[in-house]
Amino acid sequence: MAALFRRELTPVQVVKKSREDRFSAREIISGIFTDFIELHGDRYAGDDASVIGGLANLGGQPVTVIAIDKGTDIKDKLAKRNGSPEPYGYRKATRLMDQAAKFGRPIITFINTPGAFPGKSAEDQGQGEAIADSILQSMKYPVPMIAIVYGEGGSGGALALATSDQVWMFQNSTYSILSPEGFAAILWKDAKRSGEAAELMGLTPNELLANGIIEYIVPESRSHNRVFNLVRAKLLEEIQQLQSLTTTELVAKRRARFRAF
């Protein structure tokens, strides 16, 4: 287990940094993997641009990579709803994970979302069902699964792609049941108390690692290549360990991981 980082930032400061565009999904994919081939569509309703997924090469091993993308400029962010997937985004992810399981490819997900898209169109298309199905199927896949939160990890929108053997977080990321603003609005009827909420929620990597919710904190650096090289090496190491388990052991350990909380 990784050592705890010194708390140089308060939870409020970590929340702020998690919402900054420090890394983009495509930059992460191209920085860690080679030979990425993007696949599109959920074969049901459409293709959600906020969910990028496909096949890639990790140190000579084929893997399936899925990443939530917030977008770059304003136009891109609006098109991707700032990284809030519609149901067909989650169904696309589930389709790619089904494919990975069929061909024995490890699954690696990268998460940066304030939560699933809360609009009427999403509810009409079955947002809850799409998220629930992703979580349910992820409990069954007989291949290694590692999820990495690299920005915001909000609510069920994040958990849909974080039901895995291990969850890692970038040093300045968050992982929580909902946003601090939402927490404050529900608990105190005052979203302006989000700072207090952030202190209470235990949403920082250090707190989550200490409580056994995540397995590893990825140290960040001004050199993105250094970060990507570290992640690549760690992925190869952990996937090799997970592949040493039988499929029955792998699935049993994954289920036990979540039942422990």
Side-chain angles (χ1 to χ4, degrees):
M1 182 175 288
L4 295 179
F5 284 84
R6 293 179 181 177
R7 176 169 287 181
E8 298 178 351
L9 300 177
T10 66
V12 174
Q13 291 170 325
V14 173
V15 169
K16 182 178 179 180
K17 290 193 72 67
S18 76
R19 294 170 175 174
E20 297 173 358
D21 295 326
R22 304 183 325 281
F23 298 86
S24 73
R26 292 194 182 276
E27 178 194 17
I28 287 174
I29 293 172
S30 64
I32 297 172
F33 308 94
T34 59
D35 306 315
F36 178 65
I37 301 173
E38 187 173 357
L39 302 177
H40 296 275
D42 68 344
R43 303 298 187 266
Y44 180 74
D47 183 37
D48 191 338
S50 70
V51 178
I52 300 169
L55 314 180
N57 185 304
L58 176 68
Q61 178 173 208
V63 296
T64 289
V65 180
I66 302 167
I68 297 180
D69 182 22
K70 281 190 172 184
T72 51
D73 57 26
I74 292 298
K75 182 178 180 180
D76 197 29
K77 285 181 176 292
L78 287 172
K80 296 173 180 177
R81 301 165 300 280
N82 196 38
S84 296
E86 293 259 17
Y88 47 86
Y90 292 113
R91 293 189 179 110
K92 173 168 69 172
T94 301
R95 179 177 77 83
L96 296 181
M97 291 190 287
D98 286 344
Q99 184 190 80
K102 178 179 179 180
F103 292 101
R105 291 192 297 268
I107 299 167
I108 304 161
T109 61
F110 293 90
I111 298 159
N112 185 14
T113 179
F117 184 60
K120 183 177 183 298
S121 62
E123 295 303 320
D124 287 344
Q125 296 171 52
Q127 185 74 286
E129 182 273 337
I131 291 172
D133 188 55
S134 178
I135 294 171
L136 176 63
Q137 298 308 318
S138 293
M139 286 292 187
K140 304 176 182 179
Y141 294 131
V143 295
M145 300 180 68
I146 295 178
I148 304 174
V149 181
Y150 70 97
E152 290 184 277
S155 192
L159 186 59
L161 296 183
T163 305
S164 55
D165 301 302
Q166 296 185 16
V167 177
W168 305 354
M169 293 176 69
F170 275 34
Q171 183 179 350
N172 296 305
S173 63
T174 59
Y175 188 31
S176 60
I177 55 172
L178 76 171
S179 70
E181 291 83 0
F183 185 99
I186 293 171
L187 188 62
W188 300 306
K189 311 300 181 185
D190 184 2
K192 293 180 180 179
R193 296 177 65 180
S194 60
E196 295 175 65
E199 294 284 347
L200 290 173
M201 292 174 71
L203 44 63
T204 66
N206 281 350
E207 293 169 297
L208 293 165
L209 183 64
N211 289 316
I213 306 298
I214 67 170
E215 281 72 27
Y216 181 64
I217 300 174
V218 178
E220 295 185 30
S221 167
R222 291 182 180 179
S223 169
H224 287 194
N225 284 337
R226 182 181 301 172
V227 176
F228 299 151
N229 289 339
L230 185 154
V231 172
R232 185 188 310 109
K234 184 70 173 175
L235 282 171
L236 287 167
E237 176 186 344
E238 295 301 328
I239 287 174
Q240 184 178 29
Q241 291 293 323
L242 293 170
Q243 287 176 325
S244 70
L245 302 173
T246 67
T247 55
T248 300
E249 290 172 333
L250 184 69
V251 172
K253 284 176 69 68
R254 186 183 308 145
R255 292 178 176 176
R257 179 188 186 280
F258 285 91
R259 287 172 176 165
F261 302 120

